């Protein structure tokens, strides 16, 4: 990963140029960093963006308006784009760069206004929190039922906040003490180290039915099988991490569980996220660091090695 100078991009039809305020480093960015997938010399990552409008040639958005963009940018022509699902685009425009830059171009139709009461730093959490809230909606949890979140990194902690907001009792699991502590702050009834003992005993001591909702948010290969085994009868399993591993599904079959995955937020869930960030400003405690563009490669290296904090934001204007 290198930092370099380039020309300021010029918007084309339907595009708006954004001046980036903050852009969060996502777990999927780290996967690209570690594997090289979808990378290249002209690829600029970053999709957890808070920005202000810099230039809208079509004058739909006034200059200076605070916005966050829906990350999915389709070709606009294929079947899925025409049906309003750009995340499923058959010809995705991978060459369009993201938010680890001073300026970025995004479709005008995908911009979401940031409320005046919310600062730009917290607003950069709208995309990942929107992922978690969309997952909670897909899981349709019943109030007062037990939920289990494996992995209390950013997406796991946002899932805790979303499940608590839905009325669930939540148990969080992570090997790192500081993440477990933040899980308690965001509403976990209990937290545990999944490597220190069998989480099933802890869950059954809280509710003999076991977990009605289980989210895999760590991306750890061994966690995928564990969440299937921990989920109770007729439970729901949400796969939010990227655990690259096979899984034995006999217990899912016997217990009549269902599972889902998702690859991003919706505009609706991002708007929900902005509202929840206003209601619960403590969610922004997930942010543990802010770095300038020049320090982005080092921030990636530290996060990839496991000692870089929880959620780190890149701030192009930071000196």
């Amino acid at each position: 990963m290198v930092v370099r100078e380039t020309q300021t991009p010029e918007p084309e039809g339907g595009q708006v140029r954004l001046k980036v305020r903050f852009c969060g480093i996502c777990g999927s960015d780290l996967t690209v960093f570690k594997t090289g997938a979808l990378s290249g010399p002209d690829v600029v990552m970053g999709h957890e963006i808070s920005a202000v409008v810099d230039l809208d040639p079509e004058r739909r958005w006034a200059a200076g308006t605070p916005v966050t963009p829906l990350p999915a940018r389709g070709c606009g022509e294929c079947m899925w784009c025409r049906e309003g699902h750009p995340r499923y685009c058959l010809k995705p425009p991978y060459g369009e760069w993201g938010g680890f830059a001073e300026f970025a171009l995004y479709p005008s139709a995908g911009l979401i206004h940031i409320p005046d009461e919310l600062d730009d730093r917290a607003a950069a959490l709208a995309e990942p929190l929107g992922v978690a809230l969309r997952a909670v909606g897909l899981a349709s949890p019943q109030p007062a039922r037990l939920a289990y979140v494996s992995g209390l990194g950013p997406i796991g902690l946002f899932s805790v906040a979303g499940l608590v907001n839905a009325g669930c009792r939540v148990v969080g699991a992570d090997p790192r003490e500081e993440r477990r502590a933040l899980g308690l702050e965001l509403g976990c009834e209990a937290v545990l180290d999944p490597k220190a003992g069998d989480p099933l005993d802890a869950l059954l001591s809280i509710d003999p039915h076991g977990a009605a909702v289980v989210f895999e948010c760590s991306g750890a290969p061994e966690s995928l099988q564990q969440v299937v085994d921990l989920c109770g009868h007729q439970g729901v399993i949400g796969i939010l991490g990227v655990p690259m591993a096979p899984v034995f599904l006999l217990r899912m079959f016997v217990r009549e569980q269902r599972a889902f995955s998702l690859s991003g937020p919706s505009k609706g869930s991002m708007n929900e996220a902005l509202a929840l960030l206003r209601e619960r400003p403590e969610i922004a405690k997930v942010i543990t660091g802010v770095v300038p563009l020049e320090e982005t490669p080092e921030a990636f290296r530290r996060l990839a090695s496991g000692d870089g904090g929880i959620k780190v934001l890149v701030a192009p204007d930071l000196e």
Side-chain angles (χ1 to χ4, degrees):
M1 179 177 282
V2 297
V3 180
R4 62 184 175 86
E5 294 288 341
T6 187
Q7 291 185 338
T8 301
E10 294 298 329
E12 299 179 353
Q15 292 182 326
V16 175
R17 186 169 68 207
L18 305 180
K19 183 168 180 54
V20 178
R21 295 300 194 202
F22 295 94
C23 184
I25 299 177
C26 175
S28 62
D29 293 323
L30 289 175
T31 298
V32 173
F33 180 77
K34 290 185 283 188
T35 66
L38 304 178
S39 62
D42 295 320
V43 174
V44 179
M45 295 185 292
H47 53 270
E48 301 178 354
I49 299 170
S50 67
V52 295
V53 172
D54 183 66
L55 175 63
D56 180 4
E58 297 178 357
R59 298 184 180 179
R60 296 179 184 176
W61 294 88
T65 303
V67 295
T68 180
L70 184 72
R73 293 183 288 191
C75 68
E77 300 175 356
C78 73
M79 173 186 72
W80 291 112
C81 285
R82 293 197 306 271
E83 293 178 2
H85 301 290
R87 70 170 58 86
Y88 308 143
C89 179
L90 299 175
K91 298 179 292 182
Y94 289 124
E96 295 189 30
W97 69 37
F100 298 138
E102 293 179 296
F103 295 94
L105 303 179
Y106 273 86
S108 173
L111 300 183
I112 301 167
H113 180 255
I114 297 172
D116 294 336
E117 314 90 83
L118 196 63
D119 65 81
D120 293 338
R121 184 174 174 272
L125 303 178
E127 194 276 345
L129 179 57
V131 171
L133 295 182
R134 182 169 171 242
V136 172
L138 290 172
S140 301
Q142 298 296 315
R145 292 301 302 274
L146 186 63
Y148 177 80
V149 177
S150 175
L152 298 177
I155 201 69
L157 290 166
F158 294 142
S159 295
V160 167
L163 288 163
V164 168
N165 193 57
C168 292
R169 304 166 64 195
V170 183
V171 174
D174 198 282
R176 303 182 191 180
E177 183 178 357
E178 71 277 11
R179 295 186 176 194
R180 296 197 300 271
L182 191 48
L184 290 172
E185 284 195 58
L186 294 186
C188 281
E189 179 175 317
V191 292
L192 53 89
D193 180 349
K195 296 183 178 181
D198 187 355
L200 182 59
D201 293 337
L203 295 181
L204 293 179
S205 69
I206 296 173
D207 188 332
H209 295 96
V213 175
V214 177
F215 281 179
E216 200 307 293
C217 301
S218 71
E222 64 274 14
S223 178
L224 183 58
Q225 184 67 61
Q226 186 180 68
V227 296
V228 172
D229 295 344
L230 289 174
C231 189
H233 290 76
Q234 296 185 334
V236 180
I237 302 163
I239 303 170
L240 281 67
V242 190
M244 300 180 186
V247 61
F248 185 58
L249 297 179
L250 179 60
R251 287 184 179 173
M252 177 180 285
F253 172 78
V254 172
R255 294 177 181 176
E256 298 186 343
Q257 300 164 343
R258 64 183 177 91
F260 68 89
S261 62
L262 74 169
S263 61
S266 65
K267 286 186 75 172
S269 69
M270 287 182 67
N271 275 305
E272 290 177 32
L274 291 169
L276 188 57
L277 286 164
R278 283 180 294 172
E279 294 172 16
R280 297 190 60 193
E282 69 273 17
I283 294 174
K285 290 183 179 181
V286 172
I287 300 170
T288 55
V290 180
V291 299
L293 271 175
E294 292 74 14
E295 295 180 17
T296 304
E298 177 59 24
F300 266 77
R301 282 190 288 270
R302 292 188 61 193
L303 286 167
S305 67
D307 65 351
I310 301 178
K311 171 61 70 180
V312 175
L313 306 184
V314 175
D317 287 339
L318 187 64
E319 296 295 335

